[in-house]
Amino acid sequence: MTSARGGGEEPRARVDAVWKLEAARVVAALTRMVHDVGLAEELAQDALVAALEQWPAEGVPDNPGAWLTAVAKRRAVDHLRRAQRAERAHERAASEAPGTAEVPDDADAPDEDADVLRLMFLSCHPVLPTEGRLALTLRLLGGLSAAEIARAFLVDETTVSRRIADAKRALAAAGAELAMPGREELAARLRSVLEVVYLVFNEGYAATWGRELVRADLCGQALRLGHRLAALAPSEPEVHGLVALMELQASRTAARTAPDGSPIPLHEQDRGRWDPVHVRRGFTAMLRARDLGGAPGPYVLQAAIAVCHAQARRPEDTDWAAIAALYDRLASVLPTPVVALNRAVAVARARGPADGLALVDALRDDPRLRDYHLLPGVRADLLRRLGRGEEARREYARAAALTHNDAERAFLDARAADVAAPAAPTTGPTLGDLVDGFLAGLAAPARRAYAQTLGRLVRDLGATTPPAAVDADDVARVVHTSWDGAAATTWNRHRAAVRSFAAWSGRPELADGLARRAADAPPAAPVAPDRVAALCADPAVPVRERALWSLLHESRAPVRAVLALDVTDLDRDDRRTHDGAVTWRSRTARLLDELLDGRTRGPVFLTDRRPGPARTPASADRCPDTGRTRLSYERAEYLFTRATGREATLRRLRARA
Amino acid sequence: MRYLMTTGENSRRPDEALFAEMGAFIEEMTAAGILIATGGLEPGGTTVTSHGDEITVTDGPFVEAKEAILGFALVEVSSHEEALEVSRRFRRIVGDGDSVLRRVMGP
């Protein structure tokens, strides 16, 4: 039976819709049959291609899901028979008894649900990098195409295809099986699945402010994955906690954005616009989690906080004491700076802004929150409520300078403007003016060196701050938060910049909190060559990183010089740059070929993401074809230290033994 | 996005097998987070009409059996095609008849 009045339906759209509903089941069943998730997905794709070829001509089958499963399984059986024949031939050649293994019987009624759950564990396997887990999960369990995933994560399609391929290879290399994790492993593996689902949700939820609907659909994907997981693992309270948390957050989607796209804070939202369907499903999931009992985990606690909000009909009815108590418990099981900041907000509501401010101020030294715009944002709110208008205004301005979201920046600027103008308007130059004046009087090289240090000072203390309001403690806090972990020479360079500026502005005491540091211990020990070889051959690591590490190791060139290379600088035939400054050998040559893959211009090493619309980097640092920007030293360093478990830095990669 | 599917009379007689099949289908769709709400509707009902300041309440509408709306399902899907696919699965269970699918605007 074909659909007579298809409502303009195209076979492709129909195949796609069927696939999104059936992908998880089909791929899970195939993986059980062939014991290889990569092969299972290929077989499933073959079945999809067959559908696209046959359905337009022969009509869409009555039960398209069953059709796809049947075709894919037939191909799997064919594959297994071929493999067995090959194996038997091999065994006969070795004069041994013929193999007796049979193609698994499809009629033994396997447990479809258990297969899907195992597939979730597999696609969120801890051997995979986070991006690999996200891409593989959306691909295998959500039935999304590489193009759809790429659009959702603002990367190009090749990157996503590579992440998926790398992930499959890494799973095969690790010998990861479609088996249920053992009891001792189960908790950690489940946490990984929950984390992936929540990351997918947050990626979509953060995007709805930008009205990017493709990305907002990620919320729907995450909710579906969450519900599916809850049905498959009904005795795990954290699973229900996550579903409750996502449902309650989803209930506020319509209410949290003003018609002009600007965000509306929770306590100012029109609660009538909270979607009761999501609220109800969130409450239901929460009740399930509570019925299961046990000590509440991070998702249940966060969901419990969301429940408190959802239960308050008006903002003033919110039970802040209960929320603050929940945050106290959450901070002990999930001790992240962001949770600590939210806890401070709750405490401020429950016990007053002064108590909250004390908690926030304790976080100002945390380098992880250095560029997090909500820290000055929250501080500003509390200062305003304490009547410290001028300080609040400066904090709003700092928060606005740190956010990457246009709508949010406009909102923070408006807040800053709302705060009562200072009682005695400052007439003298601001901190920003003073720094500009100081830098203008320097020769170019010194200006560039000092601009980084003083730019950070201005950003953190506020450009409009009157210099008299700044003291040595403020300066010391900024410099310590930013560069405490830096090498002694770097630290001393920043210190010199601050001292020079302080002396010039007639207030040398501003640098008093900064002690000179003894020079570094002997130069960093090199990374062992076989360690480098292993890193550069690890299929779980993206080719960009491997090419960079290999190049640094083989060329011994300075890290910044290598990151500054453009495709046009390379003479790939002669394995050197045109100016001869950087040379390399065969491993790097191979990795560079793989990395560049047809690119003819732009930086060699690019970031994963395109920059947001608000940030337009210099064109020399942007690839004209992909729009992505040059990989930064900081990011490259981070990727390397993460890959080596924090034991080595990029400089050690190029050090000589 | 959400769709409301309404359904008239279906040819298959409601027996135990139908209940079992429908129960499994509803359970699967709910677990997948797709089905939000579903239910059967009494035939006819009550009509509330406003005209100027006046509000009148009358029994009905009494329409022909084949035009009556007797059931509904509210579903959360990611595309129109997906809503159609869910409806197709429903129709395969209940025999001959019509379902009408409408996109729900908002919330």
Side-chain angles (χ1 to χ4, degrees), chain A residues 199-228:
Chain A
L199 276 172
V200 171
F201 181 85
N202 277 320
E203 193 74 30
Y205 200 63
T208 47
W209 280 348
R211 302 183 163 212
E212 300 165 68
L213 289 177
V214 192
R215 308 192 66 205
D217 191 45
L218 286 175
C219 291
Q221 278 293 337
L223 280 169
R224 206 174 269 192
L225 285 168
H227 278 287
R228 189 148 206 172

Coordinates of all heavy atoms in Angstrom, one line a residue, chain A residues 199-228:
Chain A
L199 N 24.7 17.0 28.0 CA 25.4 17.9 27.2 C 24.6 18.2 25.9 O 24.6 19.3 25.4 CB 26.8 17.2 26.8 CG 27.9 17.4 27.8 CD1 29.1 16.6 27.4 CD2 28.3 18.9 27.9
V200 N 24.0 17.2 25.3 CA 23.2 17.4 24.1 C 22.1 18.4 24.4 O 21.8 19.3 23.7 CB 22.6 16.0 23.6 CG1 21.6 16.3 22.5 CG2 23.7 15.1 23.1
F201 N 21.5 18.1 25.6 CA 20.4 19.0 26.0 C 20.9 20.5 26.1 O 20.3 21.4 25.6 CB 19.8 18.6 27.3 CG 18.6 19.4 27.8 CD1 17.3 19.2 27.3 CD2 18.8 20.5 28.6 CE1 16.3 19.9 27.7 CE2 17.7 21.3 29.0 CZ 16.5 21.0 28.6
N202 N 22.0 20.6 26.8 CA 22.4 22.0 27.1 C 22.9 22.7 25.8 O 22.8 23.9 25.7 CB 23.6 22.0 28.1 CG 23.0 21.9 29.5 OD1 22.0 22.6 29.8 ND2 23.6 21.1 30.4
E203 N 23.5 21.9 24.9 CA 23.9 22.5 23.6 C 22.6 23.1 23.0 O 22.7 24.2 22.4 CB 24.5 21.4 22.8 CG 25.2 21.9 21.6 CD 26.6 22.6 21.9 OE1 27.2 22.2 22.9 OE2 27.0 23.5 21.1
G204 N 21.5 22.4 23.0 CA 20.3 22.9 22.4 C 19.7 24.0 23.2 O 19.2 25.0 22.7
Y205 N 19.7 23.9 24.6 CA 19.1 24.9 25.4 C 19.8 26.2 25.3 O 19.1 27.3 25.3 CB 19.1 24.4 26.8 CG 18.1 25.0 27.7 CD1 16.7 24.8 27.5 CD2 18.4 25.7 28.8 CE1 15.7 25.4 28.3 CE2 17.5 26.3 29.7 CZ 16.1 26.1 29.4 OH 15.2 26.7 30.2
A206 N 21.1 26.2 25.3 CA 21.8 27.5 25.2 C 21.6 28.1 23.9 O 21.6 29.4 23.8 CB 23.3 27.2 25.4
A207 N 21.3 27.3 22.9 CA 21.1 27.9 21.6 C 19.8 28.6 21.3 O 19.7 29.4 20.5 CB 21.3 26.8 20.5
T208 N 18.8 28.3 22.1 CA 17.5 28.8 21.8 C 17.5 30.3 22.0 O 16.6 31.0 21.5 CB 16.4 28.2 22.7 OG1 16.8 28.2 24.0 CG2 16.1 26.8 22.2
W209 N 18.4 30.9 22.8 CA 18.5 32.3 22.9 C 18.8 32.9 21.5 O 18.4 34.0 21.2 CB 19.5 32.7 23.9 CG 19.0 32.6 25.3 CD1 17.7 32.5 25.6 CD2 19.7 32.7 26.5 NE1 17.6 32.4 27.0 CE2 18.8 32.6 27.5 CE3 21.1 32.9 26.8 CZ2 19.2 32.6 28.9 CZ3 21.5 32.9 28.1 CH2 20.5 32.8 29.1
G210 N 19.6 32.2 20.8 CA 20.0 32.7 19.4 C 19.0 32.4 18.4 O 19.2 32.6 17.2
R211 N 17.9 31.8 18.8 CA 16.8 31.3 17.9 C 17.3 30.4 16.8 O 16.9 30.5 15.7 CB 16.1 32.6 17.3 CG 15.6 33.5 18.3 CD 14.8 34.6 17.7 NE 14.0 35.2 18.7 CZ 12.9 35.8 18.5 NH1 12.4 35.8 17.2 NH2 12.2 36.4 19.4
E212 N 18.2 29.6 17.2 CA 18.7 28.7 16.2 C 18.0 27.4 16.3 O 18.3 26.6 17.2 CB 20.2 28.5 16.4 CG 21.0 29.7 16.3 CD 22.4 29.5 16.8 OE1 23.2 28.8 16.2 OE2 22.7 30.1 17.9
L213 N 17.0 27.2 15.5 CA 16.0 26.2 15.7 C 16.6 24.8 15.5 O 16.3 23.9 16.2 CB 14.8 26.3 14.8 CG 13.9 27.5 15.2 CD1 12.8 27.7 14.2 CD2 13.4 27.3 16.6
V214 N 17.6 24.7 14.6 CA 18.2 23.4 14.4 C 18.9 22.9 15.7 O 18.8 21.8 16.0 CB 19.3 23.5 13.3 CG1 19.7 22.1 12.9 CG2 18.9 24.3 12.1
R215 N 19.5 23.9 16.3 CA 20.2 23.5 17.5 C 19.2 23.3 18.7 O 19.4 22.4 19.5 CB 21.2 24.6 17.9 CG 22.1 25.0 16.8 CD 23.2 25.8 17.2 NE 24.1 25.1 18.1 CZ 24.8 25.6 19.0 NH1 24.8 26.9 19.2 NH2 25.6 24.9 19.8
A216 N 18.1 24.0 18.7 CA 17.1 23.9 19.7 C 16.5 22.5 19.7 O 16.1 21.9 20.7 CB 16.0 24.9 19.6
D217 N 16.5 21.9 18.5 CA 16.0 20.5 18.3 C 16.8 19.5 19.1 O 16.3 18.4 19.4 CB 15.9 20.2 16.8 CG 15.1 18.9 16.6 OD1 14.0 18.8 17.3 OD2 15.5 18.0 15.9
L218 N 18.0 19.9 19.4 CA 18.8 19.0 20.3 C 18.2 18.7 21.6 O 18.3 17.7 22.2 CB 20.2 19.6 20.5 CG 21.2 19.6 19.3 CD1 22.4 20.3 19.7 CD2 21.5 18.2 18.9
C219 N 17.4 19.7 22.1 CA 16.7 19.5 23.4 C 15.7 18.3 23.2 O 15.6 17.5 24.1 CB 15.9 20.7 23.8 SG 16.9 22.1 24.3
G220 N 15.0 18.3 22.1 CA 14.1 17.3 21.8 C 14.8 15.9 21.7 O 14.3 14.9 22.3
Q221 N 15.9 15.9 21.1 CA 16.7 14.7 21.0 C 17.1 14.2 22.3 O 17.0 13.0 22.6 CB 18.0 15.0 20.1 CG 17.8 14.9 18.6 CD 17.4 13.5 18.1 OE1 17.7 12.5 18.8 NE2 16.7 13.5 17.0
A222 N 17.6 15.1 23.2 CA 18.1 14.7 24.5 C 16.9 14.2 25.4 O 17.1 13.2 26.1 CB 18.7 15.9 25.2
L223 N 15.8 14.9 25.3 CA 14.6 14.4 26.0 C 14.2 13.0 25.6 O 13.9 12.2 26.4 CB 13.4 15.4 25.8 CG 13.5 16.6 26.7 CD1 12.5 17.6 26.2 CD2 13.3 16.3 28.1
R224 N 14.3 12.8 24.3 CA 13.9 11.5 23.8 C 14.9 10.4 24.3 O 14.5 9.3 24.7 CB 13.8 11.5 22.3 CG 12.9 10.5 21.8 CD 12.7 10.6 20.3 NE 11.6 11.5 19.9 CZ 11.2 11.6 18.7 NH1 11.7 10.9 17.7 NH2 10.2 12.4 18.4
L225 N 16.2 10.7 24.2 CA 17.2 9.8 24.7 C 17.0 9.6 26.2 O 17.1 8.4 26.7 CB 18.6 10.4 24.5 CG 19.1 10.3 23.1 CD1 20.4 11.2 22.9 CD2 19.4 8.9 22.6
G226 N 16.7 10.6 26.9 CA 16.5 10.5 28.4 C 15.3 9.6 28.7 O 15.4 8.7 29.6
H227 N 14.2 9.8 28.0 CA 13.0 9.0 28.3 C 13.3 7.6 28.0 O 12.9 6.6 28.7 CB 11.8 9.5 27.5 CG 11.1 10.7 28.2 ND1 10.3 10.5 29.3 CD2 11.1 12.0 27.9 CE1 9.9 11.7 29.7 NE2 10.4 12.6 28.8
R228 N 14.0 7.4 26.9 CA 14.3 6.0 26.4 C 15.1 5.3 27.5 O 14.9 4.2 27.9 CB 15.0 6.1 25.1 CG 15.2 4.8 24.5 CD 15.2 5.0 23.0 NE 14.8 3.8 22.4 CZ 14.6 3.7 21.1 NH1 14.6 4.8 20.3 NH2 14.2 2.5 20.6

